[in-house]
Amino acid sequence: VRLYGRPRPMIKNYFAAFTLIFIILLPSCVTPRKTRYLQEPDKYVPAYPEYHTPADYQVMKSDELNIRVITLDPESSKIFNASTSESSSTLSSAYKGLDTYTVYEDGTIDFPYLGTIPVAGKTTRQIKKEIESQLRDYVKDCSVEVRLVNSFFNLLTENSASRHALTKEKMTIFEALAVGGDLSKYADRQHVKVLRQLPSGQTEIKEFDIRSKDILGSEYYYIQPNDIIYVKAFKGQFFRVDSFLTAIGITSTTISFGVLIWSIVNLCKGAAGGTAQ
């Protein structure tokens, strides 16, 4: 009776250990619920209010603008577009400022013949119209192209950091993540953060759940130049458990190994006791 009765406490201990380890590993499981995009909002996936299409980017201090004047007059083209003129490379380098302009701390740029032009807080379209209007006194039938030179965004994840160019005027958060190679299965999609500098100079932090389908019409859907997208790893990723079956396998293996060690230790103790007698 004692021989058959002794394993029962061992079975109970084995079951208790299995349950404890499984409970510890369970939160670490990477399920489709944690990684799938465009899920319907429910008690686990938040809903976001519908948001209007964001306004165009407003130029800020320290931004760099590339301004090109298009005209049929060759002389005027040389004056305003030094980099495309037939002058030497040294001369083009010296007149680089005629093409690229850094926005000063007071929010202005210095443009040939026009002097100081306030640009901070304006879109590139507004700057284009203003320069075209003022240039009509000097150049007839001209057109102006204004582009933002520093049109980049930064992506920081749990295993990489990268900087990418904005390939279109309005890039979505999904397009930005695709450019960066998408997120790993261990990225915390519930707490994606976007750090955005405001025209006032302050930095705004937006946090949202990218799994929600509602972000398609929300303020979080489009990114802007100089945005920093930060995605950390979710809690428990240390264990790297991909599924429930993996968690069960790890638990069983761990306990089986522990039981093996316990049996070897008891066997050694028994052998030592027999030798002593």
Side-chain angles (χ1 to χ4, degrees), residues 37-49:
Y37 298 125
L38 304 179
Q39 298 182 43
E40 292 292 342
D42 55 23
K43 64 178 181 179
Y44 300 108
V45 178
Y48 296 108

Side-chain angles (χ1 to χ4, degrees), residues 90-120:
T90 303
L91 186 59
S92 295
S93 176
Y95 286 90
K96 184 178 179 182
L98 293 178
D99 296 287
T100 303
Y101 303 82
T102 300
V103 182
Y104 299 140
E105 286 299 314
D106 62 356
T108 65
I109 60 172
D110 287 330
F111 198 81
Y113 293 97
L114 302 183
T116 300
I117 300 178
V119 295

Side-chain angles (χ1 to χ4, degrees), residues 32-190:
R33 188 71 169 174
K34 290 184 177 181
T35 59
R36 193 171 64 247
Y37 298 125
L38 304 179
Q39 298 182 43
E40 292 292 342
D42 55 23
K43 64 178 181 179
Y44 300 108
V45 178
Y48 296 108
E50 188 173 348
Y51 191 75
H52 63 278
T53 302
D56 292 335
Y57 176 77
Q58 296 181 346
V59 173
M60 294 184 287
K61 302 173 185 177
S62 300
D63 277 346
E64 292 186 348
L65 299 175
N66 181 267
I67 302 177
R68 184 166 177 259
V69 178
I70 302 173
T71 176
L72 296 176
D73 182 5
E75 294 300 321
S76 298
S77 181
K78 285 184 180 181
I79 293 174
F80 295 106
N81 307 306
S83 63
T84 58
S85 69
E86 297 178 357
S87 58
S88 65
S89 60
T90 303
L91 186 59
S92 295
S93 176
Y95 286 90
K96 184 178 179 182
L98 293 178
D99 296 287
T100 303
Y101 303 82
T102 300
V103 182
Y104 299 140
E105 286 299 314
D106 62 356
T108 65
I109 60 172
D110 287 330
F111 198 81
Y113 293 97
L114 302 183
T116 300
I117 300 178
V119 295
K122 299 179 181 179
T123 67
T124 54
R125 288 186 178 87
Q126 292 172 330
I127 298 171
K128 162 188 165 69
K129 291 181 178 179
E130 182 172 343
I131 294 178
E132 284 179 346
S133 176
Q134 296 188 38
L135 276 179
R136 289 194 181 99
D137 295 334
Y138 303 94
V139 184
K140 293 182 179 180
D141 301 324
C142 70
S143 177
V144 176
E145 288 183 354
V146 181
R147 299 177 183 273
L148 185 68
V149 176
N150 55 305
S151 187
F152 297 91
F153 70 93
N154 300 280
L155 181 60
L156 302 178
T157 65
E158 81 280 3
N159 54 13
S160 67
S162 54
R163 188 169 186 250
H164 306 276
L166 283 169
T167 56
K168 54 193 299 187
E169 187 172 351
K170 285 186 173 63
M171 179 177 281
T172 69
I173 183 69
F174 290 115
E175 290 173 325
L177 294 179
V179 169
D182 200 8
L183 302 175
S184 74
K185 65 177 65 177
Y186 303 106
D188 186 2
R189 291 166 173 79
Q190 294 179 250

